[in-house]
């Protein structure tokens, strides 16, 4: 992504006669670069993935402001040998650092519909509400929620930790939501990023992920591809 030319802010004082770029206060230059960079990282898009291992589709509309993500999406899966047909509609919001604040999921199956609510408070505790009851826990220090079968949710730690730009090996604690069961459990997802791809190890298997320049998943090997 190219960087636009940085211009002085409207509140900057005029330069003194004969002044050069070296006379510009450092904090003013840094402020201008930050403002331009933040603006370049703000966008709205719709992403769509199709399953490569089963008949499945995910579509999500994202509104991105820096690291902050607001998303509304849906995963639709046909019945397979391992799970029944289902539809999961989700609404997600992170804070300005990319840490998940809340996730609500409406899960529909042949037997009925289920509402799931996952929220994180200011003391880093999670409140999980499902038809089975309410659970309050720190989930091992998790800052992200992961939804099985969804390539979108991998973008949360990838973007927050800048894994798509900086080669890193890291284990990420997550609040893991299984579909179509609708059960929630603590889990750890391992990421090993390189210039070519990001290797991922989740509770359901290992694979390789490719991303675009903004950190959102393009292809999740063996699971889904973006269309």
């Amino acid at each position: 992504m190219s960087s636009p030319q940085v211009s002085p802010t409207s509140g900057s004082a005029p330069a003194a006669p004969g002044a050069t770029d070296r006379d510009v206060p450092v904090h003013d230059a840094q402020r201008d670069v930050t403002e331009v960079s933040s603006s370049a990282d703000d966008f709205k898009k719709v992403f769509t993935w199709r399953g490569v291992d089963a008949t499945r589709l995910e579509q999500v509309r994202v509104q991105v402001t820096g690291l902050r993500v607001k998303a509304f999406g849906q995963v639709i899966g046909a019945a397979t040998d391992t799970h029944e047909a289902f539809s999961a509609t989700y609404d997600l919001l992170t804070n300005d650092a990319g840490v998940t604040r809340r996730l609500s999921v409406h899960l529909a199956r042949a037997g009925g519909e289920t509402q799931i609510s996952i929220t994180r408070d200011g003391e880093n505790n999670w409140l999980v509400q499902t038809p089975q009851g309410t659970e309050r826990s720190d989930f091992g220090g998790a800052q992200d929620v992961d939804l099985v079968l969804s390539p979108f949710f991998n973008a949360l730690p990838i973007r927050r930790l800048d894994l798509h730009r900086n080669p890193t090996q890291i284990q990420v604690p997550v609040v893991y939501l299984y579909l179509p069961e609708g059960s929630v459990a603590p889990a750890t997802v391992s990421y090993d990023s390189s210039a070519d791809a990001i290797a991922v190890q989740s509770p359901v298997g290992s694979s390789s992920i490719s991303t675009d320049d903004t950190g959102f998943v393009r292809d999740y090997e063996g699971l889904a591809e973006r269309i």
Side-chain angles (χ1 to χ4, degrees):
M1 182 181 298
S2 59
S3 299
Q5 183 177 358
V6 178
S7 59
T9 59
S10 58
S12 301
T20 67
D21 291 342
R22 296 179 181 178
D23 299 314
V24 178
V26 172
H27 67 274
D28 285 347
Q30 290 176 336
R31 179 186 61 195
D32 291 348
V33 170
T34 301
E35 289 172 353
V36 171
S37 176
S38 176
S39 176
D41 288 340
D42 299 350
F43 59 88
K44 299 176 183 178
K45 286 186 179 180
V46 173
F47 296 120
T48 306
W49 294 269
R50 62 184 172 197
V52 297
D53 61 329
T55 304
R56 187 177 56 254
L57 189 71
E58 177 176 10
Q59 187 170 79
V60 58
R61 179 186 184 274
V62 299
Q63 180 176 341
V64 175
T65 307
L67 289 177
R68 182 185 179 92
V69 177
K70 180 177 176 59
F72 183 79
Q74 185 176 27
V75 181
I76 300 174
T80 70
D81 292 339
T82 58
H83 65 71
E84 63 181 313
F86 70 92
S87 170
T89 303
Y90 58 81
D91 188 355
L92 172 115
L93 180 66
T94 77
N95 64 15
D96 291 341
V99 177
T100 299
R101 287 181 54 190
R102 62 170 173 80
L103 171 68
S104 58
V105 177
H106 179 86
L107 178 60
R109 296 172 291 180
E113 300 181 7
T114 301
Q115 295 287 345
I116 300 168
S117 173
I118 303 174
T119 58
R120 188 173 185 269
D121 63 24
E123 298 181 350
N124 304 326
N125 289 315
W126 295 88
L127 180 65
V128 177
Q129 296 173 299
T130 68
Q132 288 71 43
T134 299
E135 179 181 2
R136 192 183 302 272
S137 169
D138 67 354
F139 281 85
Q143 299 186 59
D144 306 289
V145 174
D146 200 347
L147 186 67
V148 71
L149 302 178
S150 165
F152 163 72
F153 280 81
N154 292 95
L156 300 179
I158 288 174
R159 286 173 45 82
R160 182 174 61 80
L161 300 171
D162 210 24
L163 301 181
H164 57 302
R165 295 190 179 103
N166 298 313
T168 306
Q169 292 183 357
I170 191 168
Q171 292 189 330
V172 180
V174 297
V175 181
Y176 206 76
L177 175 56
Y178 291 86
L179 295 177
E181 300 89 344
S183 59
V184 179
T188 299
V189 179
S190 299
Y191 291 93
D192 185 357
S193 62
S194 66
D196 300 322
I198 301 175
V200 57
Q201 176 74 48
S202 76
V204 294
S206 59
S207 187
S208 178
I209 291 174
S210 64
T211 70
D212 59 23
D213 292 340
T214 64
F216 286 96
V217 174
R218 285 191 183 277
D219 296 322
Y220 193 124
E221 185 178 336
L223 179 71
E225 59 184 6
R226 205 159 86 188
I227 57 176

